[in-house]
Amino acid sequence: MITHLSGRLIEKNPTHVVLDCNGVGYFINISLHTFGQLGDSEALKLHTHLQVKEDSHTLFGFMEVMEREMFRLLLSVSGIGASTARTMLSSLDPNQIKQAIASNDVATIQSIKGIGAKTAQRVILDLKDEILKVYDMSSESAVQSNTSKEEALSALETLGFARKQAEKVCTAIVKEKPDASVETIIKEALKKL
């Protein structure tokens, strides 16, 4: 029903924002990924998903359409509700989730707080075909880039870099150069760390 909202940012928190649209304040739940992209501008446009239940109407907002689509895909999995989907998008960015699903990476999905082995496997089982089709990926290319990134991360950890920081840098490099070799990822990461 409500597909996007444009207005003035009134309140900004890691879990929600309040957006004033022509005198009406909308309380919109957001992920940490979206929070990180908000910036300092007062003018804001969020792509939204409205969840209607018997006792509540809840708005979820996303800076990118792709993140909203990933949120909706996650909601389609049995056992994953809106708060779990939001937690997943707060822990990993949409591309990391997409890569993990496409390459059967249960460990990455299971690393998200509140996601057990069975749920992680169900996410992959339910969404893999759709992810490969919608994003026009082959499972080989997904496995290749994910393997290169993991090997690079392992090497950087061995060199003494913190995993979280190294993972952010490696993810950014793989996003820019999806076909980058392990050596390329490590060299680029060392320049940025």
Side-chain angles (χ1 to χ4, degrees):
M1 182 180 142
I2 300 173
T3 193
H4 76 265
L5 290 170
S6 293
R8 197 165 55 90
L9 187 60
I10 300 295
E11 187 182 322
K12 176 169 101 171
N13 290 296
T15 56
H16 70 272
V17 294
V18 174
L19 201 59
D20 181 327
C21 302
N22 297 323
V24 179
Y26 289 92
F27 183 95
I28 306 167
N29 293 286
I30 59 170
S31 68
L32 282 175
H33 180 70
T34 290
F35 178 74
Q37 295 177 312
L38 287 177
D40 296 329
S41 172
E42 265 195 19
L44 181 65
K45 176 182 179 182
L46 288 176
H47 303 280
T48 58
H49 173 84
L50 176 63
Q51 182 181 53
V52 179
K53 290 185 173 178
E54 284 179 24
D55 58 346
S56 67
H57 290 183
T58 311
L59 269 173
F60 294 89
F62 310 94
M63 287 295 284
E64 306 161 335
V65 174
M66 186 198 151
E67 186 181 8
R68 180 180 66 186
E69 297 316 311
M70 183 58 70
F71 180 79
R72 288 176 172 167
L73 280 173
L74 291 169
L75 286 181
S76 72
V77 176
S78 170
I80 293 199
S83 64
T84 303
R86 183 171 72 160
T87 300
M88 291 177 79
L89 288 165
S90 292
S91 302
L92 300 171
D93 73 47
N95 278 321
Q96 289 174 309
I97 294 174
K98 182 175 73 175
Q99 284 288 347
I101 292 169
S103 60
N104 289 325
D105 188 354
V106 176
T108 297
I109 294 173
Q110 200 177 333
S111 71
I112 299 165
K113 186 178 184 285
I115 302 288
K118 283 185 179 175
T119 305
Q121 289 165 346
R122 191 176 320 117
V123 167
I124 290 170
L125 188 69
D126 288 4
L127 299 181
K128 183 174 181 177
D129 290 341
E130 187 145 1
I131 294 276
L132 294 176
K133 186 176 74 188
V134 170
Y135 296 104
D136 197 28
M137 298 166 71
S138 71
S139 48
E140 289 78 35
S141 72
V143 170
Q144 165 60 42
S145 67
N146 204 31
T147 306
S148 297
K149 183 181 135 193
E150 286 303 318
E151 285 180 32
L153 261 175
S154 177
L156 290 166
E157 271 186 292
T158 305
L159 292 171
F161 292 100
R163 181 169 178 93
K164 263 195 168 170
Q165 190 180 12
E167 191 162 12
K168 273 185 183 173
V169 172
C170 288
T171 301
I173 293 165
V174 171
K175 206 182 281 185
E176 280 176 36
K177 303 175 185 174
D179 301 327
S181 67
V182 178
E183 293 80 18
T184 308
I185 296 172
I186 293 170
K187 284 178 186 173
E188 291 289 317
L190 287 172
K191 290 177 192 172
K192 296 178 181 180
L193 285 168

